[in-house]
């Protein structure tokens, strides 16, 4: 099973979503920013790393949402 994390950022009743680039897998699709958990990486470390890579932001995590599994 592929394990990924993504972050939801809420401000002024708006939620941030990002659009994948034309060169990525699933080009131009909209997503919550995040990505795959690397071996031996915690969910929190993964999310902080992905947000730094993708958005250049250092974040603190407020709370975890319920995990979702899909096929
Ligand atoms: N980031 C993100 N990924 C999602 C969401 N929903 C969802 O099904 N996914 C899936 O989770 C996986 C995340 O892969 P990714 O390509 O963004 O991860 P990554 O940044 O580690 O990619 P890389 O392999 O190019 O380094 C994709 O298969 C993607 O389709 C979502 O809301 N946000």
């Amino acid at each position: 099973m592929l394990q990924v994390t993504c972050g939801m950022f809420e401000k002024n009743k708006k939620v941030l979503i990002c659009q994948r680039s034309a060169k990525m897998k699933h080009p131009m699709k909209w997503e919550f920013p995040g990505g795959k958990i690397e071996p031996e990486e915690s969910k929190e470390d993964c999310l902080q790393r992905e947000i730094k890579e993708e958005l250049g932001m250092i974040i603190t995590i407020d709370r975890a949402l319920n995990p979702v599994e899909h096929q």
Side-chain angles (χ1 to χ4, degrees):
M1 181 169 51
L2 184 64
Q3 302 244 15
V4 306
T5 62
C6 62
M8 292 187 67
F9 300 82
E10 208 179 2
K11 191 172 181 184
N12 299 333
K13 298 188 177 175
K14 292 183 178 177
V15 175
L16 176 74
I17 57 171
C18 299
Q19 189 171 28
R20 296 172 74 90
S21 79
K23 293 179 183 165
M24 294 171 87
K25 275 177 276 170
H26 315 297
M28 311 310 285
K29 298 276 190 194
W30 293 93
E31 66 176 14
F32 296 114
K36 299 181 199 82
I37 302 177
E38 291 183 354
E40 318 224 351
E41 187 179 46
S42 71
K43 294 188 289 263
E44 293 79 11
D45 287 348
C46 171
L47 185 59
Q48 288 173 322
R49 175 183 55 74
E50 289 283 355
I51 297 302
K52 187 158 183 272
E53 285 173 10
E54 294 179 1
L55 304 176
M57 299 192 318
I58 309 279
I59 59 157
T60 54
I61 298 168
D62 183 24
R63 67 189 168 94
L65 301 173
N66 291 332
V68 177
E69 204 172 298
H70 61 93
Q71 300 177 345

